[in-house]
Amino acid sequence: MAFDLPPAIMGISHSSIFLASAACVLLVSGIVWQQICVCAPEWIKELDALGQPRKQKLARTAVVCGGSISGTIVARVLADHFDRVVLIDPELDDIQKPKTRILQYNASHILLSLFADGARRLWPSFDTEMRAAGGRLVSADIQLHYSGIPVPAPHWDYPTGCFPTSLGMRRSEAQKALYGLLIQHPTSAKITVLPGTVRGVEPSEDRASIRSVVVRLPDGTHTTVDEVGLLVDCTGATQAGMKWLGSAGYSLPNNLRCSYKPNIRYATICFSVFPALESRLPIPQSPNGRLSEYAFVPHFTYGLSVTALFKLDNNKIQLMLTSSEDNLPRTVPEIIPYMSSIRGHAPFPSWLVETVELLCEHCPEPSFDNIKIPDQSYVKWHSVLAGTLPSNFIAVGDSNLQLNPVHGQGFAKAMLNAITLNSLLHSLDSGLHNLPRDFSARYFKNNAVRTEGLWDATRLHDYGALTCEPMIGESRNTGRLVRWFEVKLLTAATKHKDVAAALWRVRNLIAGESALLAPTILWKVLWTGSRF
Ligand SMILES: Cc1cc2nc3c(=O)[nH]c(=O)nc-3n(C[C@H](O)[C@H](O)[C@H](O)COP(=O)(O)OP(=O)(O)OC[C@H]3O[C@@H](n4cnc5c(N)ncnc54)[C@H](O)[C@@H]3O)c2cc1C
Ligand SMILES: *[C@@H]1O[C@H](CO)[C@@H](O)[C@H](O)[C@H]1NC(C)=O
């Protein structure tokens, strides 16, 4: 009994043991939470399987409908899994001819590093061939300025010269060069290019899969591609798969496709810069180059006036301007006055304005490409009831999900879809000949887990703008919490290197969104009062 402790002390020691163990649990779960959040996403690990051929190929023909960015990537991936791939697009008869069916063919593009990382796996000569076509392999740094305040890319996290790179090239030229890579690669022996338009599909007798594809040829006659093993909708904004399956008698839910109207105008002004002028431009030097020399993204209450300057292939410099009104310049004298109307927390640097002035003064007749961004839309194939879709139908790229282009994710998202597809195909039993009944459902499910966050983040951001028309069932109030977090995150990224690094990685699809919820990042974000 002598060793009995007085009840009060017992109480203290009980509660302190409780506190100590609670602290331990918190610490351990904090560490686990941190580890889970910062761990590389599955798709980065899966990059290594990209470009690796399957030993025993799958039966029948893989049919890729649409031969733009997604179609080119997917045809290359499928040539690793099938002996016969058919790539169909009405504009593939002459690759040098400018495409007319792609609204954004002449629009400024930035290509996030995940796109280049994937393309290098698919085409080991990617860098060499792109350079040969005039493209620049540069740091994946867009010199982001949020409302004029710099949000740095994490150069400090990489040894000098080792920052991830991506391709600085006009979209039109990148697309041609990529197609060139496709038809030069050894796997191209497996790929048949069929210039034509897919008009419809025919199901198998039990409707469990697509059996054939009907194609209209350029001369107006029709042909069918039979023995379809896998059918991939890569028709971009047309999102033709919905029509094909609907006409073939598959019952699709009415709310399969959701969309909203960002109401943004997008201007690309392209200057041809002769070398003597280029050396006079007051653009700050960067040793490895960068994707964009300057990018201004406004706070949503200031409208949607993104301004960016890109050095591209073959001495081209593009100025990209967006607006929520129809007020973008269409002639040279309108450019500087338009730029001076843009407001933010800090003005444009003087070198930017001087550079644009010099370009306007000395470059003969820049080209103007002014377009209205179409509705952003998401075809929620993953929401279709199990067993409804044909087992061998999938969609890749914009035919599945079209994001607001000002975030520059389109090419990288198509690559992410292709990584998901490739991994799923590699996971099938090596002896397997036919795709399993749930193949389509599994692809769409895996893919939705990886890309739905992009749809949510960009859409809810856009709802902050007065001119945006939300999708049915939502209002401009939807996502207020997300926008509150977004401005705090951006503020924290202007102050803390690790927050800036996490944000950059998430934006480049190198990290999953969970990286922003890691305790070391989250507390800084929540602690920092918004500057914007
Ligand atoms: C203004 C603007 C700027 C953009 N900026 C960027 C950027 O900076 N970075 C970025 O990564 N992304 C950007 N994007 C998005 C990017 O352009 C798209 O994500 C990309 O083009 C999608 O490629 P895709 O192959 O899926 O579709 P698309 O490029 O739209 O191609 C669809 C193809 O399908 C073909 N087709 C259509 N119907 C049929 C049919 N029935 N049969 C056969 N073929 C058919 C068409 O001829 C076309 O070749 C931007 C988009 C816009 C609108
Ligand atoms: C792109 O520009 C070329 C000329 O440079 C033009 O022929 C073509 O029609 C344009 N494409 C689109 C979609 O605007």
Side-chain angles (χ1 to χ4, degrees):
M1 289 301 281
F3 294 103
D4 266 357
L5 293 165
I9 297 187
M10 288 269 289
I12 289 171
S13 98
H14 268 151
S15 58
S16 51
I17 290 169
F18 171 76
L19 277 179
S21 36
C24 269
V25 169
L26 268 180
L27 185 69
V28 170
S29 50
I31 292 169
V32 173
W33 175 10
Q34 178 82 14
Q35 289 305 322
I36 292 173
C37 290
V38 300
C39 154
E42 290 296 316
W43 67 81
I44 293 295
K45 299 174 196 157
E46 292 169 17
L47 266 173
D48 287 336
L50 202 58
Q52 300 300 321
R54 184 186 170 85
K55 279 200 194 75
Q56 193 181 345
K57 298 288 190 278
L58 292 158
R60 297 190 273 274
T61 304
V63 183
V64 183
C65 310
S68 176
I69 301 308
S70 305
T72 306
I73 298 172
V74 167
R76 168 68 194 86
V77 168
L78 293 181
D80 281 337
H81 297 274
F82 288 82
D83 276 326
R84 205 171 117 79
V85 179
V86 178
L87 174 61
I88 308 169
D89 190 299
E91 295 196 291
L92 281 184
D93 49 344
D94 177 3
I95 186 63
Q96 292 309 324
K97 254 192 344 215
K99 301 260 169 296
T100 58
R101 285 181 171 78
I102 301 165
L103 173 76
Q104 67 271 33
Y105 191 65
N106 296 324
S108 288
H109 277 57
I110 52 156
L111 309 181
L112 303 182
S113 65
L114 183 69
F115 167 74
D117 290 345
R120 287 173 179 134
R121 303 302 205 288
L122 295 172
W123 295 285
S125 61
F126 177 78
D127 284 15
T128 321
E129 294 297 328
M130 291 294 155
R131 276 206 191 92
R136 303 162 67 240
L137 273 308
V138 290
S139 300
D141 175 357
I142 61 162
Q143 291 287 305
L144 175 64
H145 290 70
Y146 188 76
S147 197
I149 311 296
V151 183
H155 291 277
W156 55 83
D157 275 355
Y158 298 84
T160 314
C162 296
F163 197 74
T165 56
S166 192
L167 180 67
M169 199 170 185
R170 281 169 294 168
R171 184 214 160 103
S172 53
E173 304 314 296
Q175 180 150 2
K176 287 180 205 164
L178 208 62
Y179 184 73
L181 284 173
L182 177 75
I183 54 178
Q184 281 155 29
H185 192 268
T187 54
S188 69
K190 298 186 167 57
I191 303 172
T192 308
V193 176
L194 180 60
T197 307
V198 174
R199 298 307 305 267
V201 298
E202 281 164 19
S204 60
E205 247 145 57
D206 63 358
R207 314 187 55 77
S209 59
I210 301 292
R211 185 172 56 192
S212 53
V213 173
V214 182
V215 185
R216 195 185 60 212
L217 301 175
D219 66 4
T221 62
H222 286 75
T223 186
T224 56
V225 180
D226 297 319
E227 294 280 303
V228 176
L230 175 65
L231 177 82
V232 192
D233 177 0
C234 293
T235 60
T238 317
Q239 298 174 334
M242 277 187 298
K243 211 169 91 192
W244 303 332
L245 294 195
S247 310
Y250 290 95
S251 67
L252 302 174
N254 289 334
N255 57 356
L256 179 62
R257 177 183 187 273
C258 43
S259 69
Y260 71 95
K261 292 185 194 308
N263 291 321
I264 308 176
R265 308 273 167 168
Y266 192 107
T268 303
I269 304 163
C270 186
F271 300 91
S272 296
V273 188
F274 48 95
L277 174 63
E278 186 161 353
S279 59
R280 275 179 55 204
L281 297 174
I283 301 176
Q285 292 296 314
S286 57
N288 302 312
R290 43 199 176 203
L291 279 182
S292 138
E293 302 304 325
Y294 183 88
F296 175 99
V297 176
H299 183 282
F300 33 76
T301 54
Y302 286 89
L304 286 168
S305 39
V306 173
T307 301
L309 188 77
F310 310 100
K311 270 193 190 175
L312 298 166
D313 58 286
N314 299 296
N315 305 316
K316 300 290 184 214
I317 292 189
Q318 286 185 346
L319 177 65
M320 170 217 172
L321 303 167
T322 73
S323 172
S324 35
E325 289 166 65
D326 188 6
N327 59 350
L328 291 173
R330 288 169 193 277
T331 61
V332 171
E334 291 169 358
I335 297 176
I336 292 289
Y338 175 79
M339 282 177 66
S340 7
S341 72
I342 291 168
R343 296 282 167 271
H345 287 75
F348 292 141
S350 55
W351 66 259
L352 179 72
V353 182
E354 279 164 38
T355 299
V356 176
E357 278 170 350
L358 281 167
L359 292 172
C360 289
E361 197 177 323
H362 297 288
C363 294
E365 298 178 28
S367 65
F368 286 78
D369 180 77
N370 288 38
I371 57 180
K372 183 166 186 215
I373 302 290
D375 296 1
Q376 306 317 150
S377 62
Y378 188 12
V379 186
K380 296 192 160 182
W381 291 111
H382 60 280
S383 69
V384 178
L385 224 55
T388 310
L389 292 181
S391 58
N392 60 349
F393 169 83
I394 63 164
V396 166
D398 282 18
S399 66
N400 178 209
L401 171 60
Q402 248 184 319
L403 299 170
N404 183 341
V406 302
H407 308 284
Q409 296 152 326
F411 279 49
K413 171 172 58 67
M415 188 58 76
L416 179 52
N417 294 165
I419 296 169
T420 307
L421 170 62
N422 181 62
S423 300
L424 183 59
L425 287 169
H426 274 305
S427 76
L428 301 178
D429 237 350
S430 61
L432 198 76
H433 230 53
N434 295 319
L435 296 178
R437 180 65 187 96
D438 65 348
F439 183 82
S440 173
R442 271 161 71 188
Y443 165 79
F444 283 123
K445 186 169 150 271
N446 295 356
N447 192 46
V449 170
R450 295 172 174 193
T451 53
E452 192 140 87
L454 299 174
W455 169 248
D456 289 336
T458 53
R459 183 177 91 261
L460 298 177
H461 167 92
D462 288 352
Y463 286 3
L466 280 172
T467 43
C468 182
E469 294 173 56
M471 66 184 208
I472 294 169
E474 295 188 337
S475 76
R476 287 202 39 248
N477 262 331
T478 312
R480 271 171 61 185
L481 190 67
V482 173
R483 289 188 291 281
W484 169 83
F485 186 81
E486 184 187 341
V487 283
K488 282 172 88 71
L489 173 63
L490 282 156
T491 308
T494 64
K495 296 187 173 155
H496 304 283
K497 283 181 163 183
D498 53 349
V499 180
L503 181 60
W504 177 86
R505 286 202 302 276
V506 171
R507 284 221 157 139
N508 277 277
L509 308 187
I510 296 171
E513 287 151 334
S514 63
L516 301 174
L517 301 178
T520 53
I521 302 295
L522 192 58
W523 82 262
K524 283 183 187 135
V525 174
L526 297 177
W527 199 254
T528 310
S530 173
R531 172 170 184 185
F532 302 109

